[in-house]
């Protein structure tokens, strides 16, 4: 869940480069290929309770990493360039890691850590 749906939607569209798949009142979905990323600005306390979840607090991004695979290593660099140009936080610059990927870490508007990565070959 996000605190500002418009700001978060813009981040995932303009910085990460995802395309909006569906928009509803309080809900935006991005088709990412093999999964769907859903941002929600509202929540029903009864639904959260039914799933044994607490209402989101001030530390929404704590301990969460959302991994998004992009087309190739060059796109990892491009996402980071867009993030920097937009004044967003890049937690880890694009790096080739030992397990054969190029990856970077960003912070989204709610401080969730977003891994952007692609296979090197």
């Amino acid at each position: 869940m996000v605190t500002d749906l418009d700001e978060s939607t813009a981040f995932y569209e303009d910085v990460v480069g995802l395309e909006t798949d569906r928009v509803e009142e309080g809900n935006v979905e991005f088709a990412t290929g093999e999964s769907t990323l859903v941002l929600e600005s509202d929540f029903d306390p009864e639904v959260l309770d039914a799933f044994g979840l607490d209402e989101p607090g001030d530390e929404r991004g704590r301990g969460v990493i959302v991994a998004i695979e992009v087309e190739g290593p060059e796109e990892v660099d491009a996402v980071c360039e867009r993030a920097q140009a937009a004044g967003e936080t890049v937690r880890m610059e694009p790096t080739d890691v030992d397990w054969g990927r190029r990856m970077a870490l960003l912070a989204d508007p709610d401080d969730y850590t977003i891994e952007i990565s692609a296979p090197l070959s």
Side-chain angles (χ1 to χ4, degrees):
M1 290 181 211
V2 299
T3 54
D4 185 320
L5 189 60
D6 292 335
E7 181 181 19
S8 293
T9 299
F11 173 84
Y12 286 96
E13 286 178 331
D14 301 339
V15 173
V16 178
L18 298 179
E19 293 183 18
T20 304
D21 186 48
R22 189 167 83 176
V23 177
E24 296 181 5
E25 180 73 29
N27 180 298
V28 175
E29 295 183 9
F30 298 91
T32 61
E34 297 191 24
S35 64
T36 301
L37 175 65
V38 180
L39 305 179
E40 293 185 356
S41 64
D42 58 353
F43 54 91
D44 181 340
E46 290 180 17
V47 172
L48 291 176
D49 188 54
F51 287 99
L53 300 172
D54 295 326
E55 293 183 17
D58 294 335
E59 297 182 358
R60 291 175 188 251
R62 187 174 182 193
V64 174
I65 297 176
V66 176
I68 299 173
E69 184 169 310
V70 295
E71 284 295 315
E74 309 81 27
E75 184 61 15
V76 174
D77 296 348
V79 169
C80 282
E81 289 170 10
R82 291 193 298 267
Q84 290 169 332
E88 300 292 347
T89 301
V90 175
R91 291 192 167 141
M92 184 182 87
E93 294 288 333
T95 304
D96 294 345
V97 293
D98 293 341
W99 51 94
R101 300 185 71 78
R102 183 153 184 84
M103 66 179 283
L105 298 176
L106 310 176
D108 86 348
D110 282 293
D111 207 33
Y112 290 106
T113 297
I114 309 302
E115 174 189 317
I116 306 295
S117 68
L120 287 171
S121 55

